[in-house]
Amino acid sequence: MNKTDDQTVAADSTAAVSKRKTKKKNHNHPYFYIAPFVIVFLSFNIYPILLTFYYSLTNYTGLGGIENADFVGFENYARLIGDSFFYEAFFNTIKIWGVNFAIQITIAMGLALLFSDMRLKLKGLNTFRALFFLPNIITIASVALLFSILLDWNYGSLNQMLLTLNLIDRPINWLNDPVLAQGWVALIGAWMWFGNTFIILMAGISGIPKDFYEAAYIDGANWWDTFTKITLPQLKPILLYVFITSIIGGLQIFDLPLLMTDGRGAPRGALNTMVIYLYNQGFSYANFGYSAAIAYGLFIITIVFSAITFKTMYRSQVKVKKGGRK
Amino acid sequence: MGKIKTARGVIYFFLVLLVIICFIPFYMMIINATRSNSEILRGFTLIPGNALMDNYDILNSYINIWIGFRNSLIIAVSVTVLNSYFSALTAFALVVYEFKAKNVIFITFIVMMMVPGQLGLIGLYDLASTFGILDTYWPLIIPAIAAPFTVFFFRQFLITTMPMSILESGRIDGASETYMFHRLVLPILMPAIATMGIFTFIGSWNNFLFPLVIIRSPRLYTLPIMIRQLQGSPVASNLGAIYLGIAISVVPIMIAFLFLSKYIISSITAGAVKG
Amino acid sequence: MKNSWKLASLLCGAVLMTACGSDTDTGSDADGDSNGGGEGSVDLVINSFTDELAYPIEVFEERNPDVNIDLQIIPTENYVDTLRPALESGSGAPDIFTGEIVYLLDWIEQDYWMDLNEYNVDEWSDDYLDYVWELGRNEAGEMKALSWQTTPGGIYYRRSIADEVFGTDDPDEIGEMFSTMDGLLDAGEELANAGYRLFPDEGSIAPYTMGNNPEPWVNDNNELQMTDARLSYFDYAKELRDNEYSALAPAWSPAWYASFNEPITYNAGWEEMAEGEETTEVFGVSLPTWGLHSVLKTDAQATAGDWAVTNGPSAYFQGGTWIGIYEGSENKDVAFDFIQMLVNDEEFLTQWVEETGDVLSYKPVMEEVAQDYSDDYLGGQNHYEFFLERAEQIDPSNVTRYDQRLDQMFGASVGAYVDGVLTKDEALEEFYAEVQNAFPDIEVPESN
């Protein structure tokens, strides 16, 4: 590295962070500082990802090393495209995430609106926020095991409670019915995450200038008008954030459904999510090559979903801007 | 005015109801942890039993859950420290200096944030196996040094809050760059470090898939893996002991949260608004 | 701020050190912490999926005070997944590890266990049940693993209930009654009429559905063998459930354990069930030899003395633990001493038998013990007589490496049919699809 090179790059750079970069004495510093990051990044992030890709082109079974595996080209990907189990896993994942997100955002939005209402002036925001958030920090494995026994058919406390209260005549086998089991995973997910979403929405709403609302009230706007015309549009970036983080996390759901039942997606594959499928193909059935292909399938799906979200949000943002000009 | 008061009353009622619903699972867990297996099989109650110590003995005869605690703590703290320190260092380099690879690195970050962690799972497992570090904490801890999202967050934070002039005056005083990073930049970054640190810590604490694949010696098990062991273990013949095991894994976290909740919540707010 | 930062980094540094510290002691003992030689103590690591070895370890440590044995138990369902990577890579591998019969065949062909013939174990072969010996030997004739036990199964039942319902608690008479499938189901009917349940769950009948000529799950051509006998499990299980011969207590669940001790609630399922009729008592359960000491004696103490064991409609065996020394162990001599004590030491084995009532594959001790034995837990019955006779009939040729997973998958499919959520054809189709998916190499029958 010689000085001139660096300075040329610096001059070309549009990052425009600092304008006073004239007196740098030691130009090796930045490389020295980013070296640990780059080395670890390349070896523990990029390399495994590339290695996984290579495996996805083989029939590697984990036994006897990769030398014993055959290169099979895109065979695993062809299998993936025709694999009904993978589609099932995909739709299970989406269903669980969708129901979970709907419940979560409804409760969180409702709470955020209540607590930000200027006329109600509710107290205790900090306490409620903390209480609602608490399930989020509990180890998911513990949550899953806890619910798997609370929901037990014969001896789970939930059925015992419902029976005692005469709300049901006979116990419901919650985790043996595909729809109920998925519903429970979604509900538990919502239970864990609505507090988090509530806090984020609350932060977003409190960032909206108060005079927007005051002006609206003076104009005689009702609650629904202020919600749809002011709150929602103003919250758009925050909602995008909530949505994106939720879906990326949702596509990777693993611990909860794995530990709620037998770890292979019981009842009847209803809790077989994409990552559980990936895990079992690789680490239970030793089909590492195929498992690697599933990982790439998951990756592509994540990209597609993120892209769709960005695009939808971007388009509506353009619309808002246009509307604003009118 | 009266109308609002009534509304407020109704709303508080539902809020409290929601809190109760949220806490019923934990309450049942604690109650059942004090009851014997046959009591639990026979029915539920809201009153604690007196089998707590028996349950603890049964649990303890099979698993030492406190070791899981210790192991999880060691990993989570190491991960958080490495993640914070090296991300800060990288962000510092990216913000303060101009150099060749800067843009490449930056674009890579954006792409990598979209990559699901599982993508490298099999590769990482094999890498660990090649290096002979399977069944150690290294594959779980070292990757924390390279956390694109944290670097990204720190970079944004530094751009908005760090005046370049303090580095200039530092240089004039003859301070070395490294010294300035430790003495000037890190303190400025502290709020951001706290924010990301909490996320990182919780993320590592809850991490399940990677330890599941990497760790196999029972004495190295993290808490989530130990909890999973409970499911298929001889302890499973005793519901009270299982409830107790779960309770032990949960209650200390709840207590820690009581003290830190304010901080955690403001971190989430900061994370959402800035990120 | 500066001070707190200093403090924080100091603290973190300390934690990191601990982290690394504990990392270094994670390196397996097999890697040789150099404490193998000299007069220092020896650390052995044993991996297993049960705590059965706790007692022999205690005895061995007493006999050899300079040896420390660390028994690491990994639950059955994760055992292979967790151990195999370590055996492959050598990192974190134990000195001694056990293998279940279901993956034994796979493992003896790998380089996991050392050849025990280096210690001339061949000389012992006459003293062991043939099948136990043969299963530990691989195709190349290397002796990879040994076993101290034999695992024929039977039906354990409650004497008091037998007395009340059948008018006798004699194992021979009950066994006579259970010697055919119809006889067993008739007994189920009688028990149900008296308010009892034959078995805790449907799985207890599974061993007998294969009849007297069992087929392996997968044949030499990698074809899944769905014989009529195997398929009959669907109907028998359904019959058990529908006629209320079983008590909805799935194997290894808390309810299952509880059913051996006391009346259990079974309020899940029957609409026509009358008020107040909410508990029932379970008559018996199918378990192999080791079920006596590792399940009943440990978890069913309330009914001690009220049990007996007899035969079902056909002979079967289940499970079996083989043990060997890791190829890369640095403490092979000590490890071998342990194994020798465990499988070939008369004094120890006699002690072990008295302690547990386990049935051994080592004939000299068994012959001696079986002569006049009576087990208090089994109401004074000499179960050795019964089991040793059964052990002679064991034919391990049907064991395949897929058994564990396939049994699990098949059980789940049968369960779905018994629960009434799938028809038999649907359940079967689902099972085939799952097998095909997990094991692409296996050829499944065309489903109709």
Side-chain angles (χ1 to χ4, degrees):
Chain A
M1 291 304 137
N2 62 49
K3 260 182 195 174
T4 13
D5 268 4
D6 277 359
Q7 275 159 355
T8 326
V9 175
D12 288 345
S13 165
T14 47
V17 174
S18 160
K19 298 208 165 111
R20 304 176 209 165
K21 53 209 163 203
T22 39
K23 284 188 193 164
K24 298 229 180 104
K25 285 176 189 161
N26 192 337
H27 283 274
N28 287 327
H29 264 130
Y31 297 105
F32 178 66
Y33 292 147
I34 64 165
F37 180 95
V38 171
I39 292 167
V40 172
F41 189 68
L42 290 178
S43 52
F44 281 87
N45 272 345
I46 301 294
Y47 177 73
I49 286 172
L50 296 178
L51 198 62
T52 307
F53 182 68
Y54 175 66
Y55 287 171
S56 76
L57 305 177
T58 69
N59 61 6
Y60 185 39
T61 59
L63 278 173
I66 184 73
E67 315 82 60
N68 290 354
D70 297 326
F71 187 81
V72 295
F74 285 89
E75 209 174 84
N76 285 323
Y77 290 94
R79 180 178 165 199
L80 189 67
I81 287 169
D83 183 353
S84 62
F85 283 89
F86 182 68
Y87 289 109
E88 183 190 66
F90 170 72
F91 286 114
N92 287 338
T93 312
I94 292 296
K95 267 188 253 172
I96 291 171
W97 172 78
V99 174
N100 151 51
F101 189 72
I103 301 171
Q104 185 194 120
I105 196 88
T106 310
I107 300 178
M109 186 62 98
L111 288 172
L113 290 176
L114 284 177
F115 275 103
S116 62
D117 193 297
M118 287 188 297
R119 281 168 301 182
L120 279 171
K121 295 196 176 64
L122 291 180
K123 293 203 182 82
L125 171 64
N126 285 334
T127 313
F128 281 114
R129 244 182 357 186
L131 290 175
F132 292 144
F133 179 72
L134 194 129
N136 192 269
I137 54 156
I138 306 297
T139 312
I140 301 177
S142 301
V143 169
L145 186 59
L146 175 61
F147 275 94
S148 77
I149 52 179
L150 284 176
L151 297 175
D152 186 83
W153 186 19
N154 272 334
Y155 304 102
S157 294
L158 181 70
N159 275 336
Q160 291 175 341
M161 199 186 305
L162 294 174
L163 282 168
T164 313
L165 298 172
N166 274 324
L167 291 174
I168 51 174
D169 301 332
R170 49 186 181 138
I172 300 167
N173 200 345
W174 301 108
L175 296 178
N176 196 30
D177 178 275
V179 176
L180 286 178
Q182 287 179 345
W184 270 108
V185 174
L187 192 64
I188 295 165
W191 172 71
M192 290 189 76
W193 284 94
F194 84 92
N196 180 71
T197 308
F198 166 48
I199 291 169
I200 294 172
L201 292 182
M202 204 56 216
I205 288 180
S206 55
I208 303 173
K210 293 277 177 292
D211 35 335
F212 281 28
Y213 291 99
E214 275 154 21
Y217 287 134
I218 291 166
D219 289 351
N222 61 23
W223 176 85
W224 180 250
D225 285 338
T226 54
F227 177 64
T228 52
K229 301 264 164 61
I230 302 172
T231 315
L232 273 190
Q234 291 287 328
L235 271 184
K236 195 143 271 170
I238 292 279
L239 284 174
L240 176 71
Y241 172 81
V242 169
F243 193 85
I244 286 275
T245 48
S246 172
I247 196 152
I248 291 182
L251 288 173
Q252 298 173 20
I253 187 167
F254 174 69
D255 335 16
L256 193 56
L258 185 90
L259 291 174
M260 290 276 289
T261 60
D262 68 350
R264 294 184 303 118
R268 283 175 302 296
L271 298 189
N272 186 22
T273 66
M274 286 190 284
V275 180
I276 291 184
Y277 191 51
L278 181 164
Y279 173 79
N280 279 330
Q281 280 291 352
F283 295 90
S284 301
Y285 307 141
N287 300 324
F288 280 101
Y290 189 50
S291 173
I294 298 172
Y296 270 86
L298 175 66
F299 176 44
I300 289 164
I301 289 170
T302 312
I303 289 185
V304 169
F305 269 88
S306 308
I308 292 173
T309 318
F310 270 119
K311 209 165 179 189
T312 331
M313 289 288 182
Y314 176 73
R315 203 186 295 142
S316 50
Q317 245 166 9
V318 173
K319 268 187 209 149
V320 170
K321 271 184 196 153
K322 275 182 192 157
R325 271 191 218 121
K326 268 179 202 167
Chain B
M1 209 54 200
K3 220 168 138 190
I4 289 206
K5 248 187 179 162
T6 331
R8 215 180 277 155
V10 173
I11 290 167
Y12 277 128
F13 173 76
F14 279 105
L15 286 175
V16 172
L17 194 69
L18 189 60
V19 171
I20 292 175
I21 292 173
C22 283
F23 279 82
I24 281 183
F26 295 133
Y27 186 73
M28 292 315 307
M29 165 190 82
I30 290 167
I31 294 300
N32 285 338
T34 65
R35 302 169 71 213
S36 73
N37 190 44
S38 56
E39 280 169 336
I40 296 170
L41 295 182
R42 242 174 272 141
F44 99 110
T45 168
L46 297 174
I47 308 149
N50 49 16
L52 184 64
M53 284 325 287
D54 295 343
N55 288 341
Y56 186 74
D57 289 341
I58 293 170
L59 180 71
N60 220 19
S61 69
Y62 180 70
I63 248 174
N64 187 344
I65 202 144
W66 303 108
I67 290 186
F69 250 98
R70 191 201 67 188
N71 293 341
S72 277
L73 204 63
I74 289 172
I75 296 178
V77 170
S78 314
V79 162
T80 310
V81 170
L82 291 182
N83 177 303
S84 303
Y85 182 81
F86 285 100
S87 298
L89 193 63
T90 314
F92 168 70
L94 286 178
V95 169
V96 174
Y97 306 97
E98 293 300 331
F99 55 95
K100 260 189 171 172
K102 194 163 157 171
N103 286 335
V104 181
I105 290 178
F106 200 69
I107 291 165
T108 321
F109 278 11
I110 307 289
V111 177
M112 285 304 290
M113 279 190 253
M114 309 270 283
V115 175
Q118 294 85 358
L119 190 57
L121 179 68
I122 291 171
L124 182 69
Y125 170 78
D126 228 68
L127 182 77
S129 154
T130 314
F131 285 172
I133 51 171
L134 267 183
D135 198 36
T136 70
Y137 293 152
W138 299 120
L140 304 176
I141 294 176
I142 296 174
I145 292 172
F149 186 77
T150 315
V151 177
F152 183 73
F153 186 80
F154 286 177
R155 175 185 173 271
Q156 306 302 93
F157 190 89
L158 277 184
I159 288 174
T160 51
T161 55
M162 187 180 67
M164 287 298 160
S165 53
I166 64 164
L167 295 182
E168 290 303 316
S169 45
R171 283 186 189 118
I172 291 165
D173 291 348
S176 80
E177 302 288 307
T178 312
Y179 180 86
M180 285 195 295
F181 168 70
H182 287 118
R183 286 310 169 93
L184 298 173
V185 180
L186 273 182
I188 290 174
L189 259 178
M190 256 342 235
I193 289 176
T195 300
M196 288 316 291
I198 284 170
F199 287 135
T200 311
F201 187 91
I202 295 179
S204 165
W205 183 265
N206 282 333
N207 192 3
F208 181 70
L209 181 58
F210 282 83
L212 181 65
V213 167
I214 301 287
I215 301 296
R216 50 161 299 282
S217 295
R219 68 191 147 154
L220 295 181
Y221 281 158
T222 62
L223 197 58
I225 306 300
M226 260 193 187
I227 292 295
R228 186 191 185 217
Q229 296 299 102
L230 278 182
Q231 203 178 27
S233 72
V235 183
S237 65
N238 190 301
L239 279 172
I242 292 231
Y243 275 112
L244 182 64
I246 300 170
I248 292 178
S249 77
V250 165
V251 171
I253 308 298
M254 287 171 120
I255 293 170
F257 177 74
L258 285 184
F259 291 104
L260 295 171
S261 68
K262 228 176 181 171
Y263 211 56
I264 294 177
I265 287 169
S266 59
S267 291
I268 296 168
T269 310
V273 175
K274 292 236 171 65
Chain C
M1 198 53 157
K2 269 179 198 165
N3 271 336
S4 65
W5 175 250
K6 229 183 217 166
L7 194 77
S9 48
L10 214 78
L11 207 82
C12 300
V15 171
L16 263 179
M17 304 265 277
T18 342
C20 304
S22 65
D23 263 339
T24 38
D25 77 40
T26 69
S28 79
D29 305 56
D31 292 351
D33 291 342
S34 77
N35 43 10
E39 55 272 17
S41 65
V42 183
D43 291 316
L44 276 189
V45 177
I46 301 185
N47 278 185
S48 189
F49 44 86
T50 70
D51 53 4
E52 277 176 296
L53 294 177
Y55 176 71
I57 286 172
E58 204 181 293
V59 175
F60 190 77
E61 282 178 335
E62 252 168 54
R63 292 186 186 182
N64 305 278
D66 56 337
V67 179
N68 288 312
I69 300 185
D70 182 11
L71 174 64
Q72 303 178 346
I73 300 168
I74 306 167
T76 313
E77 55 194 70
N78 317 331
Y79 190 70
V80 179
D81 299 349
T82 345
L83 189 52
R84 199 179 61 184
L87 300 174
E88 291 276 329
S89 67
S91 88
D95 296 298
I96 295 177
F97 60 98
T98 59
E100 242 281 310
I101 188 165
V102 287
Y103 38 84
L104 182 71
L105 291 183
D106 201 18
W107 283 14
I108 54 173
E109 302 299 336
Q110 313 288 342
D111 292 330
Y112 300 163
W113 278 310
M114 68 173 286
D115 182 3
L116 292 173
N117 276 335
E118 286 175 31
Y119 292 99
N120 299 321
V121 293
D122 255 354
E123 293 166 5
W124 305 347
S125 65
D126 289 346
D127 288 338
Y128 290 82
L129 285 168
D130 277 349
Y131 92 93
V132 174
W133 195 262
E134 287 309 317
L135 274 181
R137 193 207 300 266
N138 69 9
E139 281 174 17
E142 293 167 321
M143 203 61 213
K144 293 284 200 163
L146 298 170
S147 179
W148 66 92
Q149 58 180 187
T150 174
T151 58
I155 296 176
Y156 293 85
Y157 65 90
R158 296 273 303 278
R159 286 175 182 268
S160 55
I161 299 175
D163 232 354
E164 183 192 327
V165 179
F166 306 119
T168 172
D169 66 354
D170 179 55
D172 291 335
E173 286 181 50
I174 304 285
E176 181 62 38
M177 197 164 26
F178 286 177
S179 60
T180 64
M181 216 55 176
D182 288 340
L184 185 63
L185 293 170
D186 287 345
E189 180 69 32
E190 260 183 84
L191 285 162
N193 289 337
Y196 295 104
R197 301 281 172 268
L198 175 63
F199 291 136
D201 71 327
E202 292 80 33
S204 259
I205 204 162
Y208 317 115
T209 56
M210 289 304 288
N212 286 318
N213 296 303
E215 294 271 329
W217 260 119
V218 176
N219 68 10
D220 293 342
N221 300 324
N222 255 346
E223 292 162 342
L224 194 69
Q225 299 290 293
M226 294 307 292
T227 57
D228 289 345
R230 201 182 286 290
L231 288 170
S232 72
Y233 181 32
F234 275 103
D235 302 318
Y236 285 123
K238 187 84 173 166
E239 194 173 343
L240 238 58
R241 173 72 67 88
D242 287 353
N243 293 334
E244 303 180 18
Y245 301 164
S246 59
L248 300 170
W252 315 107
S253 73
W256 187 75
Y257 285 103
S259 76
F260 308 139
N261 278 312
E262 57 196 9
I264 56 166
T265 51
Y266 69 109
N267 47 21
W270 295 284
E271 244 163 316
E272 64 276 17
M273 191 176 71
E275 282 286 320
E277 204 190 293
E278 275 152 6
T279 64
T280 187
E281 230 166 327
V282 170
F283 171 71
V285 61
S286 295
L287 280 173
T289 47
W290 47 264
L292 175 64
H293 62 98
S294 75
V295 177
L296 293 176
K297 282 184 181 175
T298 40
D299 287 293
Q301 281 148 7
T303 47
D306 192 32
W307 291 88
V309 62
T310 189
N311 59 281
S314 47
Y316 82 101
F317 74 108
Q318 184 190 348
T321 307
W322 272 254
I323 190 165
I325 300 170
Y326 175 57
E327 180 73 61
S329 167
E330 304 222 326
N331 300 311
K332 284 180 178 159
D333 290 346
V334 184
F336 181 74
D337 286 345
F338 177 76
I339 289 181
Q340 179 165 30
M341 182 197 88
L342 180 65
V343 305
N344 199 35
D345 181 311
E346 284 193 29
E347 187 194 333
F348 165 74
L349 286 171
T350 313
Q351 234 174 305
W352 168 256
V353 160
E354 278 161 8
E355 187 82 8
T356 62
D358 201 0
V359 184
L360 304 177
S361 56
Y362 184 63
K363 291 191 280 194
V365 169
M366 277 295 99
E367 277 157 15
E368 184 152 342
V369 171
Q371 278 172 12
D372 53 357
Y373 184 86
S374 90
D375 195 307
D376 290 342
Y377 189 88
L378 296 175
Q381 185 182 1
N382 180 356
H383 64 291
Y384 285 112
E385 235 171 30
F386 168 74
F387 277 129
L388 288 175
E389 192 185 309
R390 297 256 133 183
E392 297 294 335
Q393 299 170 36
I394 289 180
D395 167 19
S397 63
N398 292 319
V399 174
T400 75
R401 68 188 180 91
Y402 303 107
D403 289 2
Q404 194 183 21
R405 299 262 179 221
L406 292 182
D407 282 342
Q408 210 178 23
M409 290 175 184
F410 191 56
S413 286
V414 171
Y417 169 66
V418 171
D419 287 342
V421 288
L422 292 184
T423 66
K424 202 200 280 191
D425 286 342
E426 285 167 348
L428 203 54
E429 207 171 306
E430 196 180 81
F431 170 64
Y432 291 157
E434 252 188 275
V435 173
Q436 190 72 95
N437 180 52
F439 307 107
D441 296 343
I442 296 182
E443 213 175 297
V444 303
E446 290 290 317
S447 56
N448 19 348

